[in-house]
Structures are given as structure tokens and as C-alpha cells.
Amino acid sequence: ETGVTQTPRHLVMGMTNKKSLKCEQHLGHNAMYWYKQSAKKPLELMFVYNFKEQTENNSVPSRFSPECPNSSHLFLHLHTLQPEDSALYLCASSQETGDNEQFFGPGTRLTVL
Amino acid sequence: GEDVEQSLFLSVREGDSSVINCTYTDSSSTYLYWYKQEPGAGLQLLTYIFSNMDMKQDQRLTVLLNKKDKHLSLRIADTQTGDSAIYFCAESIAGGYQKVTFGTGTKLQVIP
């Protein structure tokens, strides 16, 4: 498989559930990102990892917990979410954090009931 | 902080030219980008322009940059139904670490 993949593609969860989003990139990149895409709002950068180290946390609530075990995998652990957290969560990667092009996965459509 | 603004929706007829506009606030922006998001897919980089350029052309795509007015536009010539998608404008300040700021996206609808 090539490019950036994300699983699951769709997720419905209750506010008390715990779930995880997974992202995998097959491009040999060293930087990975989580973005939140909500309707009629700019794409919001949530977290940045460079060589497995978190370099940016964009004031994201602690109910979102990222994990980057290696340069190819990125997780977003979710717990006690709110309905306003419903959105499309996009993962992206780039060769380095200074690169001009980010490669995006198809996203996970999350609905919090 | 940085801010990137776009209109939310544009409708054009097949064969016409589409012009998608974007304004940004950060005068330190070094790179300006256009990304395309097709239904059910992630964003795909279409093109980008360095801030010392006024124009960049790539086949049917023409990017115009007015740095004085902080205005960026994407022109798609001979628009096709396959061009229907959401187009995101984005900017970044190049440096040791690059943070890209995206706009809301403009949904382009091409009418056959």
C-alpha cells in the first residue's frame, strides 16, 4: 500500500468511550501531523511529530492524546470526547517539517454522540 | 496570528474559467499553496508559489500573487466536472520549522 492511510474511515462513539485513530505512511517521511477539519472552519493543526518527537501541541484539549511509536505510525487516542469534537481528522506526513509538501490521508470521519 | 480567508462556495459551468480567491494576513508568509480535496479523500497539493513570484502557471492552473494586497488566486482554465472539489489556500513562513496555516476551503461546483 502506498501513501498515507488512515483507519477507521468512519467512527461513531459515545462521550464515555475510548477509541484510537491510526495513521500509517509508506513514504519514508520523518514528520507526521494531525489536523482537525470542521465544516466552514479553517483546517486546524493539532499535533506535529518530527522523528517521533512531538514538536507542536496546538493547545489541544487533553482528551486528545497522540502517540508516535515510530516515524511511520501515528495514533490519536480519544477519551471522554464532546459532541463538538465531531469532525474529519486528517493525518499528513512530510519528509521533514520544513518541506513544502504535506501528503494527506483520506481522514477519519468522527461522530461523537 | 496568521489568518487565511476564502469564500466558501463557487459555481461555474463546464468549459468556463474558475477563479478562486484567497487573502492572508501575515506579511511574513514565504510560501503560498493551493491544495485540492476531492470527496472522501485527503488534501492533495496542487501547486505552490514563493512570495517573490507574481505568477506561476502549470498547464490549466495559473496562480497569481499580489503581495501588496496579500491576495492569492487560483485560475483553472477550461474547468471540467472532475475539477469539482474543495480548494484550500494555505500559507507558511519558511524556517527551521514550518507551520502551514490553511483557509476554510472553497467548494467548487462545476455544472455540466
Side-chain angles (χ1 to χ4, degrees), chain B residues 26-77:
Chain B
D26 196 331
S27 56
S28 303
S29 296
T30 308
Y31 292 95
L32 296 125
Y33 310 83
W34 284 105
Y35 279 82
K36 177 183 181 182
Q37 184 181 33
E38 296 182 354
L43 279 69
Q44 177 190 9
L45 181 66
L46 279 179
T47 186
Y48 67 90
I49 190 168
F50 190 55
S51 60
N52 67 354
M53 299 168 64
D54 298 323
M55 185 183 87
K56 182 177 180 181
Q57 187 154 5
D58 183 3
Q59 299 181 334
R60 292 190 297 122
L61 305 179
T62 302
V63 178
L64 293 177
L65 174 61
N66 181 328
K67 197 173 179 183
K68 175 175 169 288
D69 294 338
K70 301 191 189 71
H71 182 267
L72 183 75
S73 68
L74 174 69
R75 179 176 180 271
I76 306 172

Side-chain angles (χ1 to χ4, degrees), chain B residues 2 5 14 22 28 30 38-39 66 68 81 102 106:
Chain B
E2 305 90 356
E5 293 189 359
E14 190 174 16
C22 168
S28 303
T30 308
E38 296 182 354
N66 181 328
K68 175 175 169 288
T81 54
F102 288 83
T106 299

